């Protein structure tokens, strides 16, 4: 529940101001507030606010918030300019996600990269990126298998080649 999360992080910010927080805690709180507001808002988050949160999160890296903020920054760049201009932010997000060692976060960032390729109208690159995500899920034990499998199947249908990839079909059957 994003409303509850926003309230929780706003209370954490006030409590942290009263008792003191570490730089990592401040970065996490600020980033989470911004991400929750972005999710709940009908207006685009100002890029300067995202850039400020990225700077603070980068100083406290590695953390889970930095990759998520970089994905948001990439999405904002894609929405206001062009999909290919988001790539540097998404690649940076993948690097920082790998720095955390969190397999689910890494899978989420690879998934965001795949959808960036969709918006660039490059279905083949999207498919290849989803296959990379699938390999990551299998290696790491990430809990994002269902999300990756569903999107991989959808893209295979878009490509008109659902039965061309026996590995995807075998993976789907094994997960069923």
């Amino acid at each position: 529940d994003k409303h509850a999360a926003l309230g929780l992080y706003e209370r954490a910010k006030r409590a942290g101001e009263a008792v003191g927080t570490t730089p990592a805690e401040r970065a996490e709180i600020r980033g989470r507030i911004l991400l929750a507001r972005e999710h709940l808002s009908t207006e685009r988050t100002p890029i300067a606010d995202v850039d400020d949160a990225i700077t603070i999160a980068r100083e406290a890296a590695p953390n889970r918030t930095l990759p998520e903020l970089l994905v948001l920054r990439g999405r904002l760049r894609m929405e206001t300019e062009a999909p290919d201009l988001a790539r540097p932010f998404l690649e940076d997000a993948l690097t920082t996600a790998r720095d955390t060692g969190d397999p689910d976060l890494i899978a989420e960032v690879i998934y965001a990269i795949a959808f960036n390729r969709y918006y660039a109208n490059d279905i083949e690159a999207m498919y290849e990126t989803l296959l990379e995500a699938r390999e990551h899920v299998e290696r790491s034990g990430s809990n994002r298998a269902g999300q990756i499998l569903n999107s991989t199947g959808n893209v295979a249908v878009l490509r008109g080649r659902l039965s061309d990839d026996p590995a995807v079909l075998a993976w789907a059957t094994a997960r069923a």
Side-chain angles (χ1 to χ4, degrees):
D1 178 4
K2 293 291 182 186
H3 290 282
L6 178 58
L8 176 69
Y9 282 110
E10 287 175 339
R11 284 192 303 276
K13 180 181 176 192
R14 288 191 299 276
E17 290 167 352
V19 299
T21 56
T22 67
E25 291 167 336
R26 283 191 298 278
E28 178 83 12
I29 291 167
R30 176 154 182 190
R32 293 288 165 206
I33 288 171
L34 188 136
L35 290 164
R37 286 183 179 157
E38 166 66 20
H39 184 81
L40 296 170
S41 180
T42 58
E43 297 177 6
R44 183 174 285 129
T45 301
I47 289 174
D49 291 354
V50 178
D51 289 343
D52 289 345
I54 288 170
T55 299
I56 292 167
R58 200 177 292 283
E59 291 170 1
N63 58 66
R64 283 186 48 88
T65 308
L66 179 57
E68 292 180 46
L69 290 167
L70 289 164
V71 167
L72 171 60
R73 182 64 174 89
R75 185 174 55 80
L76 293 173
R77 183 86 187 258
M78 179 185 68
E79 290 173 354
T80 58
E81 297 178 51
D84 289 336
L85 298 176
R87 292 289 292 183
F89 294 102
L90 297 173
E91 293 301 329
D92 192 10
L94 184 56
T95 300
T96 58
R98 285 183 172 139
D99 290 345
T100 70
D102 183 329
D104 292 336
L105 181 59
I106 295 165
E108 290 168 13
V109 173
I110 297 171
Y111 188 77
I113 291 169
F115 268 86
N116 175 259
R117 300 295 55 189
Y118 174 81
Y119 291 117
N121 199 27
D122 189 348
I123 299 300
E124 291 302 318
M126 180 184 188
Y127 186 73
E128 292 300 319
T129 305
L130 287 169
L131 293 179
E132 177 187 339
R134 182 191 79 189
E135 291 169 9
H136 166 75
V137 166
E138 289 176 342
R139 273 192 325 270
S140 69
S142 167
N143 293 317
R144 300 301 184 258
Q147 177 186 33
I148 303 300
L149 177 59
N150 181 56
S151 294
T152 304
N154 289 338
V155 172
V157 169
L158 287 173
R159 294 170 67 231
R161 300 181 187 160
L162 182 58
S163 61
D164 285 358
D165 191 343
V168 172
L169 293 174
W171 192 48
T173 303
R175 296 266 174 206

